[in-house]
Amino acid sequence: MFATMGALGLAPTAQAAEQPFRALSTSDFTLTGRGAAKVVIVGGGIAGLTAAYELGKAGYDCTVLEARDRTGGRNFTVRGGDTTTDLYGNTQTARFADGHYMNAGPARIPQWMVTLDYCRELGVPIEVFTNVNADAYLYNESAGMTKPMRYRTAKADVYGYVSELLAKATDKGALDQELTADDQERLVEFLKDWGELGDTLAYEGGERRGYTTVPAAAGTPGVLLGDVPSASDVFASGVGRYFSFEFGFDQAMLMFQPVGGMDQIPKALTRAVGAHRVRTGAAVTKITDTGSGVTVTYTQGGRRKAVDADYCIAALPPNILAKIPHNLGSGVQSALEAITPSSAAKIGLEYRSRWWELDHRIYGGITETDQDITHIWHPSYGFHGERGILIGYYNYGGDADTYAKLSPRQREARAVAAGVKIYGEKYRSELVSSFSHHWRQTPHLEAAWHNTPGGPDDTRYQPLNEPAGRVSFAGDWLSYTDAWQHGAFTSARKAVTALHARVLAS
């Protein structure tokens, strides 16, 4: 009751938001004597599909309008035979082998996100996505590195020297005013373990760095990786900049992915909503609040059509919504225009063999580099198979925009040249095909994610956080987890809860 009052503005909304989400039910109407309404949902991405799915549980008559030929929005898994044409006119058809794919949009799911709850509810099986791998590489060309370094080696060296310096500073009394003698002793003991220091508090390397010959049977105790660099060289290499990544709340292992591709989520949502309620190829051209309802006009197959409904949930990206004529007021338009799109891109490189497993002993995980490709992802599925697809770049901002201006063949050549510096010639010689995807150049989306200055609760976005007449808004861009499906799910839940409360009170 309190959550409903909050949605109606009769109680503090912050307190109402603290209440856990309660799924709608047909009993909500049978117990009140009221009936469900008709709702048109603009946008068949995760937020739009979730709104239709949750409203459908209570018997709402929902129609989803999606401009593209598939649902899911930025949740897009590329498989063999998929064809796209970007805004520069580049047309590509993926030639990936059966069973292989690249997730061009979202690709990983942290354990705490409600995305996993929907996977469970919808029957979408999941598997581990390897976000951090001790045997993946780090390569900072600008720092003078001429060969890659294993993540484990870099981490051991950075942690080792930081521990040595802090332990020696403590031992010389530099922290006497900060810590008690007992605390200093405990700190040094921790640093000796954390940095693998010797009795003299010096870092000299060790098994954490890795081996040139790994331990095996009797007679093969293993040969430690030698040539421990100096502390100055380690800090100059800049490899330590990558370690905070795994501490991020949204990046910490374990992480997961749906078995068979991230698009298993929108596919399951579409089935649950009912494919007959989803109209693809339907590009919205106008949204009109009539006072007693909403009329949404759109084009489909070259014909102009319209949907009349009691309410509308607008779940398109804000940069696309801002281009659609409406009568929702200047406040809504200004709020939409205040949210700016961001660029990101990926390229999938398909190889005839999984040489990164065979030659480099890398199973999943991400190689980090300061080159314009930014990241190289090793697949977290299909281990020991004949083929595999690497993500040859996952970059953003200016780097993504620079690659987008190239032809697909030029993108491939540039990405491969960067990868050869890290992995060697097999990065080129084993290549079979590629497919590149750039979100700012994707029709009907034109963004990878969005920049919302001040956060979604900033006063400038207030017109989007409450209904504009009979039109409500939903999307990850109206959440504190923009670019994650979790944001789309939770935003849709918020919109659905408020709409349902309004219908029950009408």
Side-chain angles (χ1 to χ4, degrees):
M1 181 183 295
F2 191 78
T4 300
M5 290 172 63
L8 293 171
L10 302 176
T13 55
Q15 291 175 291
E18 293 175 2
Q19 304 301 313
F21 173 71
R22 184 186 70 82
L24 279 53
S25 170
T26 54
S27 64
D28 297 343
F29 291 113
T30 57
L31 292 174
T32 62
R34 293 180 173 85
K38 183 175 182 180
V39 182
V40 58
I41 297 168
V42 177
I46 296 300
L49 291 173
T50 302
Y53 172 62
E54 294 294 351
L55 287 170
K57 293 177 180 178
Y60 284 86
D61 181 6
C62 295
T63 299
V64 180
L65 301 178
E66 168 54 46
R68 303 177 76 201
D69 61 357
R70 59 173 65 86
T71 58
R74 285 164 287 159
N75 181 325
F76 175 37
T77 300
V78 182
R79 296 185 176 79
D82 287 339
T83 297
T84 63
T85 300
D86 65 25
L87 295 178
Y88 286 136
N90 296 303
T91 297
Q92 299 178 83
T93 298
R95 295 185 287 119
F96 298 153
D98 290 345
H100 294 275
Y101 60 85
M102 66 173 284
N103 289 315
R108 48 195 171 187
I109 308 171
Q111 297 176 76
W112 55 269
M113 290 187 170
V114 300
T115 309
L116 290 183
D117 297 334
Y118 279 94
C119 287
R120 180 187 294 108
E121 184 172 329
L122 296 166
V124 176
I126 60 173
E127 60 191 358
V128 170
F129 174 90
T130 305
N131 207 34
V132 178
N133 185 343
D135 282 317
Y137 288 125
L138 301 177
Y139 180 72
N140 288 336
E141 187 175 43
S142 64
M145 292 179 69
T146 57
K147 60 181 180 179
M149 179 180 289
R150 297 280 189 178
Y151 193 97
R152 69 165 72 248
T153 306
K155 200 170 186 180
D157 289 344
V158 171
Y159 284 12
Y161 280 121
V162 169
S163 297
E164 176 184 330
L165 293 171
L166 183 54
K168 288 181 175 178
T170 303
D171 193 52
K172 292 181 179 180
L175 298 180
D176 285 355
Q177 295 183 352
E178 305 294 333
L179 300 173
T180 67
D182 287 343
D183 287 339
Q184 291 181 54
E185 183 178 345
R186 297 184 187 104
L187 174 61
V188 170
E189 286 304 309
F190 163 74
L191 292 170
K192 289 171 67 176
D193 178 65
W194 195 62
E196 201 176 17
L197 307 181
D199 292 336
T200 62
L201 303 184
Y203 172 67
E204 300 175 351
E207 60 88 21
R208 295 181 187 177
R209 300 187 78 243
Y211 292 82
T212 54
T213 301
V214 299
T220 310
V223 178
L224 288 172
L225 187 65
D227 299 323
V228 180
S230 67
S232 178
D233 288 341
V234 169
F235 297 138
S237 72
V239 293
R241 75 182 67 159
Y242 301 110
F243 304 147
S244 63
F245 170 76
E246 63 188 276
F247 298 141
F249 186 67
D250 59 354
Q251 296 293 348
M253 289 295 287
L254 287 174
M255 300 189 86
F256 294 88
Q257 63 183 9
V259 175
M262 191 63 75
D263 66 349
Q264 299 305 311
I265 295 175
K267 285 181 177 180
L269 278 169
T270 302
R271 289 192 297 269
V273 169
H276 63 286
R277 295 185 179 277
V278 180
R279 303 178 188 179
T280 56
V284 172
T285 57
K286 190 174 184 180
I287 300 174
T288 304
D289 187 320
T290 65
S292 59
V294 180
T295 297
V296 177
T297 58
Y298 64 98
T299 58
Q300 185 181 45
R303 299 178 59 186
R304 181 180 179 276
K305 301 180 180 181
V307 175
D308 294 317
D310 299 303
Y311 299 95
C312 171
I313 295 180
L316 288 177
N319 51 307
I320 301 300
L321 274 172
K323 300 177 184 180
I324 297 175
H326 61 78
N327 66 340
L328 306 179
S330 59
V332 167
Q333 186 64 22
S334 296
L336 290 171
E337 292 175 353
I339 303 173
T340 56
S342 298
S343 300
K346 290 180 183 177
I347 188 170
L349 303 175
E350 182 186 23
Y351 289 93
R352 61 174 52 91
S353 70
R354 298 175 75 92
W355 49 263
W356 54 91
E357 295 174 2
L358 295 166
D359 299 346
H360 299 261
R361 309 292 291 183
I362 298 176
Y363 289 78
I366 300 171
T367 283
E368 304 285 1
T369 173
D370 65 353
Q371 299 181 87
D372 60 11
I373 57 174
T374 308
H375 312 286
I376 297 175
W377 287 16
H378 312 94
S380 291
Y381 72 96
F383 301 116
H384 289 177
E386 292 184 1
R387 293 194 176 207
I389 297 174
L390 290 179
I391 298 300
Y393 59 71
Y394 175 21
N395 52 18
Y396 358 88
D399 289 335
D401 291 336
T402 297
Y403 272 85
K405 294 175 183 178
L406 304 176
S407 69
R409 184 57 61 87
Q410 290 171 326
R411 297 171 190 167
E412 175 192 290
R414 185 163 173 167
V416 168
V420 166
K421 297 177 184 179
I422 302 172
Y423 297 92
E425 273 304 315
K426 282 192 176 180
Y427 204 88
R428 178 181 288 111
S429 63
E430 291 291 296
L431 184 65
V432 175
S433 69
S434 70
F435 188 96
S436 49
H437 190 79
H438 294 250
W439 287 105
R440 281 297 298 277
Q441 286 70 44
T442 300
H444 306 297
L445 292 171
E446 300 179 28
W449 50 78
H450 299 84
N451 179 30
T452 309
D457 284 319
D458 190 274
T459 54
R460 78 191 86 177
Y461 313 119
Q462 188 58 35
L464 305 176
N465 283 313
E466 58 188 21
R470 288 177 170 261
V471 178
S472 301
F473 303 90
D476 61 300
W477 44 277
L478 280 177
S479 79
Y480 285 97
T481 49
D482 181 30
W484 292 96
Q485 294 174 99
H486 173 87
F489 281 121
T490 56
S491 178
R493 284 178 164 188
K494 179 176 180 288
V496 163
T497 299
L499 190 154
H500 188 50
R502 183 175 180 178
V503 172
L504 288 176
S506 63

